[in-house]
Amino acid sequence: MSVIRTQVAGLYTDNLVDVVVSSGLHLINTIPQDDETAVSVVQTVNLQVVHSNNQAIDNTARVYIEDPVGTWTLAYNEAAGGFQAGFTGTATRKSSPGAAALDELWIALNRTVPWGSLRVIGVRVVAASGGDTLDSTYNFVVEDIEPATITECLWLSPRRCRIRFSESMNTSADLHGTLFHRYFGGGVEVKGSNELYIADPLEEAWEGSYLDLQGSVYPTNCQSKLITDVEVTVALVPTGKVLIDTTELEADSGVDYNSAGKVVRRRALRATIGAYRLQPRLDLEGAGETPYVEERVQCAFAPLVKAVSLPDACDIPSGDTVSQYVVIDFEDDVSLGRWYELHAYNVEDASGNNAAHLSLELQTPMFGCPANRQQLWKFFPGSVQEEDLTDELQLRKMSVVLQDLLNVMWLRADGLDKVLDAWQCPEQLIDHLLYTLGNPFRFPVPTVKQKRRLAEALPELYSGTGIARRVEDATLQTNCIAGMIKFFLGINAVIRPHWPGDTWVLGNCYLGASEGDWPGQQTILGTSSAYLRNSYDVDVSPVILTAEEQRIVRDICTWADPANMHLARIIMGTPDPGAVWILGSAGFSEVGLTTNLG
Amino acid sequence: MASPYWSAPGVAQGRIRPTEAIPDHGFWDFCLGYDSEEPAEFMLTVGETIKLEQAYNFSPMDFVNFCWTMRTPSELPRAAVLVNAGTVRFADGSLFDTGDGCRGPVLPTSCFLAADTDQLLLISGSTNPTNNGTFRIGAIGGTIVPATKHVAPMFDRCVLENADMVAGTEYAVTVKLLGARWRAQVYVNDILRVELIEPANHETMRRFLKLHVSQVVGPATMSFRLTLESVTP
């Protein structure tokens, strides 16, 4: 017998409770319910209007739908033909159990076109029963069924850009995630016209992704290729074979030989498989110009994507989420002021909507370089230009290539005076800058941004921890240590003496002074240990530090505290009464009862 | 009808005070169905109902409030019209390769999913009566679309179990995939009060519902039912 079989569902019931309400009309059992999200685009709007006192509902019920926000459409009007244009459904009058009147109206309303993705839909129900009236409104949000788009690209440097998606994305490093990217810095070989070998482990799921290759001597090899097949293993032996959708590749092992068969050069072929690709728009740039004009010949370099990452939360505009962004690092500088098309393949949003291909046309900025700098092409006399433009354009082609390289070199040269600027120093020189500034801390600073902040703050840290001042001004000193802990860890810390400071001082205090004699004063025994007197605690409670964070705190204290001071403890978590010294009050306390000896 | 549901009553199914699934949401009065987030071991057939009845002596009240959270199985059979009065080729013994012994239809476009295996196919409109009827899909195969792995692959033909096909190409054949859905209902004295159908793969959510019982006084029976029903597109 042919019957459908399927797995059993689970229906959980809870919060069963009987209630008594005021007599009148009530809107109940709305599906979707108020504030429901991720509602299906074809969801039927179900609702029940009931009267709680055995009273028939008037035939004047109306249902309005709000879509878009602010625009209300009459969807159902019982007094005027029922369902209105654009809506269908059923409206049924019923009697509740034991009722004599038709005290219920059940409505199931469908819109003839599906609800829009992520739209906020309002439902307003108006009904009457005798003298009782009902006018109730609720909202639901439709599911997300549309993939994201790339809305902007911000160039942070010639080798780094940050792209923004229109919504939160899947930030997985696997296929379909915005962080999907594999960089193969070596072990790449072109074997045949459509065949490459990559030494690193491959995954079959990468079929359909794009592969970019750099480092080959053959220009046709250095273009993006669509992967048609990935052969991971044959008979359990890894092969690393990648087939692509072209037959134009030239075999290239990355090793050059001379005529005698000796190795003269080893080039590292590099490849990437990932979601992003930067494509020069040379076909479009100037393509509309008439032939033999200089704008027809342009040049732009497309560097390989080297890494992708998420930005820091503090770097993105308020209202956006980190998962909307991806920072793309390129292997080399892009051309300045040139047009490109940035492609993203098979990235899906947080709701699982996959975009097979997204693209954004963009022009790279000049990064502060003047746009009217010397143009090589302009060096040539007009007659030479005219002669070249009407001939083979070789001079023009060479000048735009050299101009592109020259622009990059100018940018680098202009950047030399920024090497000592914490925020403009090139990323690869930040560690050198910290070394130059005499970074005294041994713990690693994890991010580039933290390194820049440290480089900026080091002079101030030094001034706050001068040897002479820190001995004289303990308050300044403790503030400085607490400030550094806040700087590195973002944690509020309190620096306090390990041993209370208001202890009994010979000649100034009265032993056994009572409250009546010296209101508000008690005499407390101190310690005779110089080490304890010069020790202090770092209190970060209720925070609990990791081992690495404790190491950072100890490093800071070791460097910043005066030579005669010592870090005794780091107080973390919930304050422990045992961590507070309870000292005996001379003349009042009895040993063994209220006195803890230090 | 004998049902696998009753093969081990009381074991992870239909229990009072369920504890396995959705434990963080609080206390649950009872669960109809399978009390686990894991795929159910039990298979139900269309028409079977899981029911819990409660006799209650109603004092004057207006509503019985309750909450429902329904988890539908992820592999609920989909209902779809694959071909609407279109061209379909029927193969009798040579579906994939000559003489392979497989019988089934070849659709003009690839629209079978791998998950459709073991589901029911309704064929109508063929001039050969034996080609019409409801058949179970034994296997899916044929032309794969798309060629990449980024979208679930779809196929253009299927093997039908116990089919008696007459080979040939027909031009006004309708092919439908029969689906199923779970319908939850509450009855008071066998009068329907609330019903709920959750779409497959929909986010599990807690719904706040009410039984209108303002005119019920004295003994009555509340019946909570979970029924598997077929869906013909």
Side-chain angles (χ1 to χ4, degrees), chain A residues 16-26 28 50-53, chain B residues 56-66 209-217:
Chain A
L16 265 167
V17 58
D18 52 4
V19 293
V20 176
V21 297
S22 59
S23 173
L25 283 169
H26 299 272
I28 64 172
V50 302
H51 196 285
S52 58
N53 195 21
Chain B
Y56 190 76
N57 193 15
F58 281 81
S59 57
M61 68 178 81
D62 295 313
F63 297 123
V64 176
N65 289 3
F66 66 101
L209 303 166
K210 297 173 187 288
L211 302 180
H212 178 209
V213 291
S214 62
Q215 304 307 311
V216 182
V217 178

Side-chain angles (χ1 to χ4, degrees), chain B residues 1-124:
Chain B
M1 175 185 292
S3 166
Y5 175 75
W6 302 110
S7 61
V11 179
Q13 47 181 309
R15 305 175 70 162
I16 306 297
R17 292 280 183 211
T19 56
E20 294 293 326
I22 328 175
D24 297 334
H25 288 203
F27 294 101
W28 300 85
D29 293 330
F30 56 88
C31 167
L32 298 182
Y34 191 62
D35 178 24
S36 173
E37 292 179 339
E38 299 297 321
E41 302 167 20
F42 319 105
M43 302 288 282
L44 283 200
T45 58
V46 163
E48 289 187 307
T49 297
I50 307 165
K51 184 167 72 174
L52 182 144
E53 283 192 347
Q54 171 72 58
Y56 190 76
N57 193 15
F58 281 81
S59 57
M61 68 178 81
D62 295 313
F63 297 123
V64 176
N65 289 3
F66 66 101
C67 293
W68 259 352
T69 304
M70 187 170 176
R71 187 197 65 252
T72 56
S74 59
E75 296 180 355
L76 208 57
R78 64 178 181 134
V81 178
L82 304 182
V83 179
N84 188 14
T87 302
V88 174
R89 181 171 71 82
F90 291 94
D92 181 22
S94 299
L95 183 63
F96 301 105
D97 298 308
T98 303
D100 61 12
C102 297
R103 294 168 171 165
V106 180
L107 307 188
T109 56
S110 295
C111 47
F112 284 115
L113 295 171
D116 295 333
T117 304
D118 205 35
Q119 303 310 325
L120 296 186
L121 200 67
L122 175 63
I123 300 176
S124 60

Side-chain angles (χ1 to χ4, degrees), chain A residues 139 223 363 367:
Chain A
N139 301 283
Q223 295 171 3
Q363 185 178 26
F367 298 102

Side-chain angles (χ1 to χ4, degrees), chain A residues 424-437:
Chain A
Q424 299 192 67
C425 174
E427 188 176 321
Q428 62 270 27
L429 296 179
I430 282 291
D431 288 330
H432 178 74
L433 175 61
L434 283 174
Y435 177 79
T436 305
L437 293 173

Side-chain angles (χ1 to χ4, degrees), chain A residues 96-150:
Chain A
S96 65
L102 293 172
D103 59 349
E104 295 186 348
L105 174 62
W106 292 24
I107 294 177
L109 183 146
N110 293 298
R111 196 165 74 168
T112 51
V113 294
W115 309 111
S117 177
L118 286 176
R119 297 293 278 269
V120 178
I121 307 297
V123 182
R124 180 185 173 207
V125 182
V126 180
S129 175
D132 297 324
T133 59
L134 168 76
D135 191 342
S136 181
T137 303
Y138 63 97
N139 301 283
F140 60 87
V141 181
V142 182
E143 63 185 339
D144 179 12
I145 61 165
E146 292 180 355
T149 57
I150 302 177

